[in-house]
Amino acid sequence: MKLNLITTTLLLASASAIAEPNITISTTTNSRDFPLSAEQPLVVPLTKDGYTLKITGIEGSCTAPDGQNVKFNTPISLNCGEPTELALKIRFTGDYSFAYDEQAKTLLFKREPKKAAKTEFKRPIPKVQCEVYQGGEVSIALGDSFPDGTKLRDAYSGQVVEVKNQQVSLVPDQASGGIVLLEPMKKTKQAIPFDYRNANIYFVMVDRFNNADSSNDASYGRKKDGKEEIGTFHGGDLKGVIDKLDYIKSLGTDAIWLSPIVEQVHGFVGGGDSGSFPFYAYHGYWTRDFTKIDENFGSEADLKTLVEEAHKRGLKVLMDAVINHTGYSTLADLQFDGIEVLKPGADLPEKWANWQPGSGENWHSYHQYIDYQSPNWANWWGGDWVRAGLPGYPEPGSSDITMSLAGLPDFVTESDKAVTPPKWLLDNPGTRVKARDNFTVSDYLIEWQTDWVKRFGIDGYRVDTVKHVEGDVWKRLKQEASQSLEQWRKENGKSGQPFWMMGEVWGHTAYRSPYFDDGFDALINFDMQKKLDKGAACFSQMAETYQSYADTIANEKGFNPVSYMSSHDTELFFSRFKDYAMQRNAANALLLSPGAVQVYYGDEVGRNIGPYADDFHQGTRSDMVWKLTDEKQSLLKHWQTLGQFRKAHPAIGAGKHHVIAQEGAYVFSRTLAGDKVVVAFVGRDR
C-alpha cells in the first residue's frame, strides 16, 4: 500500500502529547527524575543532603502558593501548566515516599519505616499520540528543497530516488524507527569545513572504558574490595582508548571528551552515606596533582600517542578541566605526604591505605583516627589555597563561588594573594609544579591546565562546575589555552581551528546566558535528556524543541548547546526504559538535533547501570560493554548510520531548520552553505 504523506491524514494521528506528572530530585552536583502516579506512591532512597524538587506535567487549573515548605504528612499544593520548585532538607538517610493526588493536585511527603524493596526504576513509555506507518511505499513532500530531477539517496536504506513533482517515493527501512534521511547523490564541489555547532562528542570515562594494560591497575597501592567493586578502579586506561579509536570514529564522532586523567588522590573515602563501599577517585574529579597523569591511566607517552592517533583519524581531543576543587584527604595520601594529623595511639596498619572497617564499623570509620583539629593541617594545602573548615582554613560559604561542593576542598580562586604550592606537592615524585613569583591560586591552576595544551596539542576543554568559579578566571583560561595551542601548532607545523571550550553549568538549558561571554563556545544542555522520553516514543514530538534550538542558534551569536541523553551525574537513558526500540529512537532524536551533541560511552549499545549501593550515580559509570548481543549489535549499527550521516552533513547541527510538513508526517530540511538534507518521519510501527 502506498501512502501519500501530502494528503493522507486519516491513518495518521496527530502528534499531540499527553502530559505526565514527573518529579526531578536534584542536589548541587547531580539529579534524577521519576514518574509520578496517582495509583501508588513513589518511594526513593535519599541520603542526608539538601535537595531541590521540581514537579512538572500537572494538568488542570491550579496554582501553588509562594513560600511553601515541604513537611511530613502535609499535602503540598502544585502548579498546573508550569513547574513547582521546592527545597527539601533530608537530615536522616532512609527511604522517602511521594504520593500524588490527581484530584487535589497535591503531593504528600512521608518517611518510610522500612527499606524500600524496589530501588531500580523502569519508567513506562510515555503516552503520546503519534503518526503510524502502515507499511509499503510512501511519498514524501519536499517542498522547494530540491528541484525536480534531483537524485537523492536515503542514507539509512541506501535507496536512490528522483524528485518528481516536489516529492519522492520509497519504502522506509523497517529498522530505522520511521526515519528517512535524504541527501543529494551529487556532492557539493567544495567541502564544508567542520563546525562545532554540529559536533558529535564521545564522552569516555577512562577507568570504565577499556583496559589495555593490566600492569597499572593497582597503582599507588590501590585495592579491589572483593565485592561489587562499586567505587574501585576497574583498570581502564589511555592505551585502552587508543585501541578503540577506530570504533569511536565509526560512530561519526568528531571529538573525544576524556574524563580527567591527572593524578588523583591515592586512597579511598567512604562510599555512600552509609559508607558501604570504599570509594576511590576512579572518575578523575578528585585531583591530587594537576601536572601529572595518574599512573592508573597511563603515561605521557600514552597521551601523546592518543592525541596523534586521534588527529590522524580527524578526531579532536578534549580534556576535562577542574579548577573549582581538589580531592579529599585520604589515609594513603596523608601517610605518603607526611601530614601528621593522626590521633595519638591510632591503631592503623603499617600501610594506612590497607585499613579496612572492623566489626561495627563502615568505610567512613577511618575518620575516627584523624584529628581534624590538629594545627598540622597547615602542612596540607593550607588556608591560602582552599576552603576546608580545618584549623587555619577559611570556612566554606553559602554562595556558588564560596560553597564546598560535596564537601570537597574549594580553591580560593578569587584571591589576589601571592601563594606558594605546599611542600608535599612540590616534592611529589614526577610533578611539574614549581613555585612562581607573585602567582595567585588561579594563576597556578591556569598554568597547570594549559601546560597540557602547550605540550600535547589538546584541542579543547570540557570545563567542570563553571558557576562555582569567577568568570574572569574562565576568560583567562580560554585566552591562555588558546595561546598555548597556537604555540604547540607553531612548534609542530600544524594548523587548525581555535581552541574550543565547553562548560558545565549545572541545570543550564538551551539559551544564551552571560556564561557565553566568559570564554565558553558551548554549554552542556541539561534540557534534552527528559525531552528525549517523548522524542523516543514519537520522533515528531521533537518538533517544538528542534525549532526552538535552531532559532536560538541562528539568532544568538556564539550560542551552541551540547545536548545529551545520558551522563555520569544524571542517568543512563537505557536504564529509564530498558527498551532497545526506545534507545534506537532516542538516538534519532538526539543525533538529528540542532546544535552539538554528546554521547556517553555505551549509549550506542544500551549500556545499563551497574551496582551502586546507596549512591545511584555510581551505577551510571558501569563498565563499557564490548561483548554484544544481537540486539546490541543492531543498535550499534543504527547508531553508526545516524552518526556518520550527521558527520557528513554539518547542516544537521549548524544549518537553517525549515519545516516542510507536519500533517501526516514530520518533514524538515537543514541547510548550511552548499550542504542540504531532508529528514522525514513517516510514523512508528503500529
Side-chain angles (χ1 to χ4, degrees):
M1 176 172 59
K2 178 178 179 179
L3 300 181
N4 187 317
L5 298 184
I6 303 173
T7 59
T8 303
T9 59
L10 294 177
L11 294 174
L12 305 177
S14 70
S16 60
I18 301 171
E20 292 181 312
N22 184 86
I23 182 169
T24 301
I25 305 174
S26 304
T27 67
T28 56
T29 58
N30 52 57
S31 70
R32 190 179 179 197
D33 64 275
F34 308 88
L36 283 175
S37 171
E39 298 175 0
Q40 61 181 12
L42 168 69
V43 180
V44 294
L46 298 176
T47 57
K48 183 180 178 182
D49 206 341
Y51 296 86
T52 299
L53 307 179
K54 184 176 181 180
I55 300 96
T56 56
I58 308 300
E59 292 190 327
S61 177
C62 57
T63 304
D66 294 332
Q68 284 190 110
N69 293 319
V70 179
K71 298 179 180 179
F72 290 119
N73 303 312
T74 302
I76 304 163
S77 298
L78 303 175
N79 290 315
C80 293
E82 63 180 61
T84 305
E85 293 198 18
L86 302 161
L88 173 64
K89 184 74 174 180
I90 297 295
R91 292 181 171 83
F92 301 98
T93 295
D95 294 326
Y96 294 83
S97 67
F98 299 87
Y100 171 56
D101 187 324
E102 190 172 21
Q103 298 300 318
K105 311 297 185 188
T106 60
L107 195 66
L108 193 66
F109 178 63
K110 292 183 178 181
R111 183 171 185 186
E112 295 296 306
K114 296 181 180 180
K115 180 71 178 175
K118 182 179 180 182
T119 57
E120 186 172 322
F121 296 86
K122 180 179 178 181
R123 298 176 66 92
I125 293 176
K127 299 174 183 177
V128 296
Q129 291 181 311
C130 190
E131 300 90 343
V132 178
Y133 173 51
Q134 301 291 323
E137 187 178 77
V138 298
S139 293
I140 300 172
L142 302 180
D144 59 0
S145 298
F146 295 102
D148 283 1
T150 304
K151 289 189 176 181
L152 304 176
R153 174 181 176 269
D154 173 17
Y156 200 95
S157 67
Q159 295 175 76
V160 177
V161 292
E162 184 175 331
V163 181
K164 296 179 180 178
N165 299 320
Q166 295 186 313
Q167 65 181 18
V168 293
S169 298
L170 51 70
V171 179
D173 193 305
Q174 289 186 336
S176 73
I179 294 289
V180 176
L181 309 172
L182 296 172
E183 60 185 4
M185 285 290 292
K186 188 177 181 180
K187 305 297 182 183
T188 56
K189 294 182 180 179
Q190 187 173 2
I192 299 175
F194 168 73
D195 192 314
Y196 269 109
R197 292 175 298 173
N198 189 56
N200 184 349
I201 302 164
Y202 193 77
F203 174 22
V204 172
M205 182 155 283
V206 177
D207 177 67
R208 303 300 171 89
F209 188 63
N210 185 40
N211 187 356
D213 183 359
S214 59
S215 69
N216 60 13
D217 290 359
S219 299
Y220 312 110
R222 292 166 179 153
K223 298 183 179 301
K224 301 291 187 182
D225 65 20
K227 297 179 181 178
E228 292 184 299
E229 309 297 346
I230 292 171
T232 57
F233 279 81
H234 288 194
D237 44 43
L238 294 175
K239 288 181 179 177
V241 180
I242 295 168
D243 286 352
K244 297 297 182 181
L245 285 175
D246 288 334
Y247 170 86
I248 293 171
K249 181 182 178 181
S250 78
L251 300 171
T253 302
D254 298 297
I256 304 170
W257 157 20
L258 300 172
S259 59
I261 58 172
V262 295
E263 185 181 40
Q264 299 297 293
V265 295
H266 294 174
F268 59 81
V269 296
D273 194 62
S274 62
S276 58
F277 58 92
F279 190 1
Y280 290 85
Y282 69 86
H283 45 67
Y285 293 97
W286 299 344
T287 302
R288 166 184 162 84
D289 187 336
F290 290 89
T291 71
K292 289 179 58 183
I293 293 178
D294 193 283
E295 291 176 13
N296 255 81
F297 301 140
S299 66
E300 290 192 357
D302 296 334
L303 179 60
K304 184 176 186 294
T305 299
L306 192 157
V307 174
E308 290 175 349
E309 291 299 319
H311 285 172
K312 287 178 184 177
R313 292 163 172 80
L315 298 169
K316 301 181 185 302
V317 178
L318 310 179
M319 287 186 70
D320 205 313
V322 183
I323 282 182
N324 169 254
H325 58 266
T326 186
Y328 300 111
S329 62
T330 74
L331 287 174
D333 295 278
L334 292 174
Q335 184 176 36
F336 188 83
D337 296 325
I339 310 296
E340 298 179 358
V341 292
L342 290 190
K343 291 178 179 178
D347 185 18
L348 289 172
E350 182 179 355
K351 287 189 176 181
W352 301 353
N354 292 342
W355 177 87
Q356 294 185 6
S359 177
E361 296 180 327
N362 60 41
W363 288 96
H364 292 314
S365 298
Y366 76 89
H367 290 293
Q368 65 186 298
Y369 301 108
I370 300 175
D371 181 2
Y372 287 103
Q373 299 306 313
S374 171
N376 291 335
W377 281 105
N379 298 322
W380 192 44
W381 278 98
D384 290 340
W385 276 87
V386 299
R387 300 177 183 88
L390 294 166
Y393 288 67
E395 290 284 344
S398 57
S399 70
D400 283 339
I401 299 297
T402 63
M403 70 182 295
S404 173
L405 286 173
L408 288 159
D410 181 67
F411 280 123
V412 189
T413 50
E414 76 279 14
S415 173
D416 59 3
K417 182 178 180 179
V419 295
T420 300
K423 185 176 185 303
W424 65 263
L425 183 55
L426 290 168
D427 293 343
N428 193 34
T431 188
R432 291 176 61 83
V433 173
K434 294 181 180 179
R436 305 291 192 189
D437 292 337
N438 301 315
F439 260 42
T440 65
V441 170
S442 58
D443 290 336
Y444 280 108
L445 291 167
I446 291 171
E447 178 186 65
W448 297 341
Q449 296 289 350
T450 57
D451 190 51
W452 296 105
V453 183
K454 189 181 300 181
R455 293 195 295 135
F456 294 92
I458 302 300
D459 300 286
Y461 293 139
R462 177 270 188 184
V463 177
D464 190 59
T465 56
V466 168
K467 68 180 179 181
H468 299 289
V469 176
E470 301 77 19
D472 286 345
V473 174
W474 298 132
K475 291 176 186 176
R476 289 172 52 208
L477 179 69
K478 176 65 174 299
Q479 181 181 19
E480 294 192 28
S482 298
Q483 293 171 352
S484 294
L485 181 57
E486 288 308 308
Q487 178 180 329
W488 178 86
R489 286 175 174 166
K490 185 177 181 180
E491 292 172 354
N492 290 273
K494 305 289 185 180
S495 62
Q497 294 179 314
F499 190 85
W500 193 72
M501 211 157 85
M502 167 180 71
E504 179 226 24
V505 179
W506 185 257
H508 200 282
T509 55
Y511 70 99
R512 195 190 188 287
S513 69
Y515 290 108
F516 281 94
D517 299 320
D518 291 339
F520 291 97
D521 301 289
L523 293 179
I524 293 174
N525 172 28
F526 288 77
D527 183 51
M528 176 64 90
Q529 187 179 55
K530 282 178 283 188
K531 291 185 180 299
L532 288 179
D533 286 359
K534 290 178 180 176
C538 181
F539 181 78
S540 55
Q541 291 291 317
M542 300 303 299
E544 183 178 342
T545 298
Y546 281 2
Q547 191 68 61
S548 174
Y549 289 6
D551 289 347
T552 309
I553 291 170
N555 297 329
E556 297 286 356
K557 184 179 179 181
F559 167 75
N560 189 10
V562 182
S563 300
Y564 69 90
M565 66 189 296
S566 301
S567 85
H568 60 313
D569 284 333
T570 56
E571 293 180 82
L572 293 185
F573 189 86
F574 186 77
S575 72
R576 294 165 77 83
F577 302 101
K578 298 179 176 61
D579 183 283
Y580 284 97
M582 285 289 284
Q583 190 79 358
R584 173 200 65 188
N585 297 344
N588 292 342
L590 177 69
L591 294 175
L592 296 172
S593 174
V597 297
Q598 171 240 299
V599 177
Y600 190 30
Y601 74 103
D603 278 346
E604 70 277 11
V605 293
R607 177 173 63 89
N608 204 356
I609 56 174
Y612 55 86
D614 59 346
D615 185 351
F616 172 79
H617 298 285
Q618 304 309 314
T620 67
R621 299 130 183 210
S622 54
D623 289 336
M624 177 59 180
V625 182
W626 294 113
K627 187 176 181 180
L628 304 183
T629 62
D630 289 345
E631 286 179 307
K632 291 185 182 298
Q633 287 279 11
S634 296
L635 180 61
L636 174 60
K637 181 181 178 182
H638 177 85
W639 210 286
Q640 290 168 330
T641 301
L642 265 290
Q644 289 166 11
F645 177 70
R646 180 185 177 97
K647 185 176 180 66
H649 297 288
I652 293 172
K656 180 180 179 181
H657 176 79
H658 174 67
V659 177
I660 298 169
Q662 282 188 280
E663 291 295 327
Y666 177 41
V667 186
F668 60 82
S669 66
R670 298 267 174 81
T671 307
L672 179 68
D675 184 33
K676 180 183 288 186
V677 296
V678 169
V679 175
F681 174 62
V682 303
R684 66 186 183 191
D685 293 339
R686 287 170 287 183

